[in-house]
Amino acid sequence: MLKKLVGGILFTTFTFSQTTVNPQFSVIGDLVMDHLHKDPSLLTSGIEIAVQGYVNPFARADIYLHKHNDDSPIELEEAVMTIERGLPFGLGLRAGKFRPDLGKINQSHAHLFPFIEVPAGMAKILGEEFWSATGVETNVFLPLPWYSNFSLGYFDSGISSHDYSDYEKDEDDHDHENDHKDKDDHNHDDEKDHGREKQTNAFSIRWSHFFELNNVNHLELGLSGYSGKAEQILGADFKYKWRPNKYRSLTLQAEVLQHSLEDEYMEKAVHPDEKLTVAYAMVNFQFNKAYNFGVLIDYWSLGLADDEGMNPSIFFGFSPVEESAVLRLKIGQLERENDEKNHKKYLKTTIQIIWSLGPHKPHRY
Amino acid sequence: MRTLIIIMSMISFLFGKVRIVTSTTDIADIAKIIGGDHVTVTSIARGNQDPHYVEILPSYMLKVRKADIYFMVGMELDLWAQQIIDGSRNRKVLIVDCSVGINKMEVPTGQIDASMGDIHRFGNPHYWLDPENGKLIARMVAEKLINHDSKNADQYQANLTQFEKDLDSAISIWTKRFSNLKDKDIIFYHNSWPYFSKRFGLKTVDFLEPKPMITPSPSKLNQVIQKIKSDGIEVIASESYFSDRAPKFIASKTKVKTVKLAQSVGAIESADSYINLFETNLTILAKAYGVSYD
Ligand SMILES: [Zn+2]
């Protein structure tokens, strides 16, 4: 029902948009290699196509398509209409398929991460490609002296309908050619499971704050919540940025999510009171126009099962020509599960080359 | 009771004002002059910030939330303004593009693409650096204020007339005092100065940026060094927000003088108003060339 309604809204807006100014097209291409692969198959490499434009003075439409570098079909990452001005009571609205306002990292596109890949802990809850769902979300500024935004969303598919198998496969044999095949298989599963997916309607809420401490210091704080079919997530996030001039900045960012599991996690039985806690903390220093360097700590734990993992990594970025091409390097610890509670640790080096055409860029200062 | 009256009058005082937000400090300063006591004015970008790239902070949206009029620079310089206005949820704000009546320079002809650098496809947007264009901005501001707040129309009209008079006399004094700058060769960091150079007769011979918004490359720097040596160019001027590294490097290899100019009101301390912006920049240049300006 919701899908139909939202689809209808999108359809009308997109046909309407043809009568106005042309939308903007952007393409972001990336190439990722890591040394653990004997054959440097190009992992998550692929392209993202963004089409963005104003539908009318008050509504914007953003469509993101992703094509992996394999035989898999083009995926629709997001197709969302955003209304920021024009609704009563200063309400904002998003409708379509998009990344809900849950936590900080779920909303950002992976090519903006200075640390190349999704932090593994976060992926355990949000999925490798993060939570994107079809639904509607409304938000409002609270009448406070600082920027304080409250959002509430309703979606037709919850996080648990996310693809964990992908992730598990990744951990098990780390063979990405299989990985993509697996993804194809999963698409069929999706259709089969459609009934189940429909049941897992989900709500998300977020309350975020932004403080401009002074011209060069900014602080962001957020609290998030999620409620799906008999599962809950609570989250808190923090970002501090010091930016004394055009090209220098220091960013500290941390986020924690806690997932109350039902009785099963990644197809294994767990205690009904089990909670999965995941977190990351990042420091990123942009020391001049072209270079940045940082540290990421990635964490997860299953409280009752007394199982946890923590993986540090360092990363480095180089963008020679403004924001249009970025080279990133990450050296980090990687854990793989050998058997129950036995994590083998590896060192993994990952290189990413990312480029863009058009206004949607891989990197923001 | 008395406090209540004071509070009430303060409220009516605040609410009676036209709330103006501008993209840059130059338009803000002009709006303050035209609006006088009847307006409150906030600029999103600070004077020493690069107006091409302004990081969109949620707190900026809060500044626009209750605004009556938003004045943009336009010509795609402040594309970021649209996102701030959208994010503000303010559906009543009047958005005004100040570049509408400007006689635009360097409008590209033919196909443009990213290989040409971050080119401004509607022409060079740094038009406020010609004081004659300051008058056009002021007329735009006055027109919108008169429409919005007609009860104070006479005041706005009077302020505009006074501002035009002040600017006219300043321009005629500047062109006399700084006539020694005429036909001086100059190298700029970024192409922010064609309107300024045209007004005051400077001859732009090169830029440190090989292409607009592209960081100076070693080969470009060498090329500039050769040009300075062969043509005897005396001054490199950069916008206040750029790093000193490239100009200082060239200065270490040649006899060129390097200066920083105020690209906007507030970029340099003495450039604290629209009129002082020109006074400051012209004085800095006259000193750098060692010419008299009295
Ligand atoms: Zn420019």
Side-chain angles (χ1 to χ4, degrees):
Chain A
M1 172 60 202
L2 187 60
K3 225 166 204 166
K4 247 185 194 157
L5 178 74
V6 168
I9 292 173
L10 286 177
F11 182 73
T12 44
T13 59
F14 293 154
T15 46
F16 177 42
S17 69
Q18 295 184 339
T19 61
T20 59
V21 200
N22 287 335
Q24 288 184 300
F25 286 86
S26 313
V27 182
I28 291 187
D30 82 325
L31 196 122
V32 182
M33 289 174 282
D34 76 59
H35 87 283
L36 291 180
H37 289 78
K38 291 163 210 98
D39 151 38
S41 71
L42 303 175
L43 307 193
T44 58
S45 308
I47 56 166
E48 182 182 283
I49 299 165
V51 183
Q52 299 165 295
Y54 281 86
V55 170
N56 61 45
F58 302 111
R60 204 179 64 228
D62 298 81
I63 301 160
Y64 299 96
L65 302 165
H66 196 273
K67 175 75 182 80
H68 284 277
N69 192 20
D70 59 19
D71 314 327
S72 64
I74 293 179
E75 289 167 51
L76 179 67
E77 274 191 11
E78 289 184 58
V80 56
M81 182 184 66
T82 308
I83 302 175
E84 289 184 304
R85 296 194 299 138
L87 294 177
F89 314 113
L91 286 173
L93 181 81
R94 290 199 291 168
K97 187 181 187 216
F98 58 97
R99 290 152 180 254
D101 193 9
L102 175 75
K104 180 116 190 93
I105 204 171
N106 191 61
Q107 291 233 64
S108 28
H109 281 219
H111 53 73
L112 292 174
F113 300 152
F115 37 78
I116 305 175
E117 298 149 303
V118 171
M122 286 284 145
K124 282 179 187 282
I125 291 182
L126 299 169
E128 276 290 287
E129 300 192 342
F130 285 172
W131 182 36
S132 172
T134 305
V136 287
E137 188 182 85
T138 180
N139 53 65
V140 67
F141 288 169
L142 298 183
L144 293 169
W146 64 90
Y147 175 93
S148 176
N149 191 58
F150 183 81
S151 71
L152 175 67
Y154 173 67
F155 303 93
D156 74 345
S157 60
I159 287 177
S160 59
S161 47
H162 238 278
D163 193 354
Y164 286 123
S165 57
D166 220 27
Y167 178 73
E168 240 185 328
K169 198 90 188 170
D170 196 23
E171 292 256 299
D172 287 349
D173 59 23
H174 231 266
D175 183 335
H176 278 268
E177 266 174 79
N178 281 354
D179 195 26
H180 291 311
K181 228 177 75 213
D182 189 58
K183 219 170 257 162
D184 279 348
D185 290 344
H186 188 78
N187 286 342
H188 299 299
D189 288 349
D190 262 354
E191 278 152 39
K192 252 189 296 167
D193 285 355
H194 209 68
R196 190 205 63 171
E197 203 184 288
K198 266 213 157 152
Q199 286 173 4
T200 62
N201 291 342
F203 291 92
S204 75
I205 58 167
R206 177 168 165 82
W207 188 20
S208 62
H209 308 272
F210 183 92
F211 304 94
E212 206 180 332
L213 304 174
N214 55 37
N215 285 343
V216 295
N217 288 287
H218 312 141
L219 179 66
E220 256 177 278
L221 299 170
L223 291 172
S224 300
Y226 164 93
S227 176
K229 188 186 152 216
E231 52 173 358
Q232 265 79 45
I233 296 172
L234 288 174
D237 53 86
F238 154 91
K239 182 180 175 183
Y240 163 78
K241 193 164 183 181
W242 171 69
R243 194 181 163 165
N245 63 42
K246 188 162 152 55
Y247 299 117
R248 182 160 298 187
S249 69
L250 177 74
T251 308
L252 308 177
Q253 187 174 325
E255 183 163 358
V256 57
L257 292 179
Q258 189 174 66
H259 192 177
S260 309
L261 304 167
E262 235 175 313
D263 44 11
E264 191 191 274
Y265 173 62
M266 301 221 290
E267 288 153 16
K268 283 175 206 157
V270 295
H271 190 282
D273 295 334
E274 184 61 288
K275 286 187 167 90
L276 169 66
T277 306
V278 303
Y280 69 87
M282 176 202 80
V283 183
N284 185 19
F285 185 47
Q286 174 89 41
F287 42 97
N288 64 29
K289 196 168 180 174
Y291 297 96
N292 73 284
F293 171 78
V295 178
L296 173 75
I297 292 165
D298 186 3
Y299 173 82
W300 63 270
S301 90
L302 281 165
L304 295 172
D306 195 23
D307 196 3
E308 64 172 8
M310 178 147 90
N311 294 297
S313 51
I314 56 170
F315 55 84
F316 171 80
F318 173 54
S319 48
V321 190
E322 313 306 316
E323 306 169 281
S324 56
V326 183
L327 179 77
R328 294 185 181 126
L329 170 75
K330 185 173 83 168
I331 302 167
Q333 181 178 292
L334 176 79
E335 274 174 277
R336 288 189 216 159
E337 236 167 290
N338 285 9
D339 48 75
E340 294 284 315
K341 288 198 188 181
N342 220 334
H343 308 299
K344 220 177 153 189
K345 288 174 177 172
Y346 295 84
L347 205 64
K348 181 182 165 192
T349 307
T350 313
I351 290 174
Q352 181 189 40
I353 298 166
I354 185 163
W355 50 267
S356 77
L357 283 175
H360 189 60
K361 306 276 190 213
H363 171 94
R364 272 181 221 154
Y365 289 110
Chain B
M1 190 59 202
R2 218 175 127 170
T3 20
L4 191 70
I5 291 170
I6 293 172
I7 291 171
M8 293 291 280
S9 65
M10 268 175 67
I11 289 171
S12 69
F13 179 72
L14 275 173
F15 279 74
K17 290 192 177 198
V18 182
R19 281 161 296 210
I20 294 174
V21 180
T22 66
S23 283
T24 59
T25 52
D26 313 287
I27 305 175
D29 188 62
I30 294 171
K32 275 179 205 156
I33 293 166
I34 305 303
D37 290 340
H38 303 299
V39 300
T40 62
V41 184
T42 314
S43 168
I44 296 293
R46 295 184 303 280
N48 60 358
Q49 237 178 333
D50 179 353
H52 302 82
Y53 294 118
V54 168
E55 187 178 19
I56 294 156
L57 303 180
S59 46
Y60 296 160
M61 298 168 186
L62 217 57
K63 290 179 181 171
V64 183
R65 187 165 131 191
K66 296 263 185 260
D68 298 300
I69 313 176
Y70 189 105
F71 289 102
M72 293 179 69
V73 177
M75 299 173 78
E76 292 199 340
L77 178 82
D78 49 350
L79 276 176
W80 42 267
Q82 193 58 50
Q83 253 174 290
I84 295 171
I85 296 165
D86 286 346
S88 76
R89 311 287 157 76
N90 182 340
R91 50 182 179 153
K92 294 190 186 103
V93 66
L94 174 70
I95 303 163
V96 181
D97 179 343
C98 291
S99 73
V100 169
I102 302 293
N103 194 353
K104 298 173 177 67
M105 292 176 74
E106 299 175 358
V107 181
T109 50
Q111 184 81 22
I112 52 169
D113 66 60
S115 69
M116 300 155 95
D118 197 353
I119 202 149
H120 296 298
R121 61 181 168 141
F122 295 112
N124 191 300
H126 303 277
Y127 59 84
W128 67 91
L129 287 165
D130 177 353
E132 284 292 343
N133 288 339
K135 289 198 282 184
L136 299 182
I137 298 170
R139 278 176 214 157
M140 181 70 96
V141 170
E143 183 196 315
K144 301 301 168 189
L145 275 174
I146 289 166
N147 281 342
H148 186 87
D149 180 29
S150 50
K151 66 180 188 301
N152 292 311
D154 293 348
Q155 186 66 61
Y156 299 137
Q157 188 57 56
N159 291 346
L160 173 65
T161 310
Q162 185 60 45
F163 180 68
E164 288 185 309
K165 238 175 85 186
D166 292 348
L167 208 46
D168 275 335
S169 73
I171 291 169
S172 71
I173 292 170
W174 289 326
T175 34
K176 273 183 217 122
R177 273 174 66 209
F178 296 98
S179 59
N180 289 332
L181 289 177
K182 243 195 160 121
D183 294 326
K184 290 280 184 201
D185 287 343
I186 189 162
I187 294 171
F188 288 113
Y189 198 118
H190 174 73
N191 187 12
S192 308
W193 308 92
Y195 297 90
F196 180 84
S197 305
K198 193 177 170 204
R199 176 63 46 205
F200 299 105
L202 289 156
K203 263 171 62 189
T204 308
V205 293
D206 210 346
F207 304 102
L208 297 192
E209 288 179 340
K211 282 169 182 174
M213 310 308 293
I214 303 293
T215 314
S217 57
S219 68
K220 178 73 196 190
L221 294 186
N222 280 329
Q223 193 190 320
V224 169
I225 288 168
Q226 290 317 314
K227 191 177 264 178
I228 289 170
K229 283 181 176 164
S230 63
D231 301 352
I233 294 148
E234 293 167 81
V235 175
I236 296 176
S238 34
E239 290 76 359
S240 73
Y241 52 81
F242 282 118
S243 131
D244 288 338
R245 282 213 352 239
K248 287 265 144 71
F249 172 77
I250 296 171
S252 74
K253 307 274 175 197
T254 61
K255 282 185 230 143
V256 82
K257 289 207 180 77
T258 63
V259 294
K260 284 211 163 188
L261 297 182
Q263 68 285 342
S264 274
V265 171
I268 292 176
E269 224 182 334
S270 56
D272 56 359
S273 70
Y274 187 68
I275 286 184
N276 286 343
L277 175 69
F278 298 98
E279 181 68 34
T280 299
N281 288 338
L282 291 166
T283 308
I284 288 170
L285 288 172
K287 281 184 181 156
Y289 285 104
V291 298
S292 63
Y293 55 96
D294 291 318

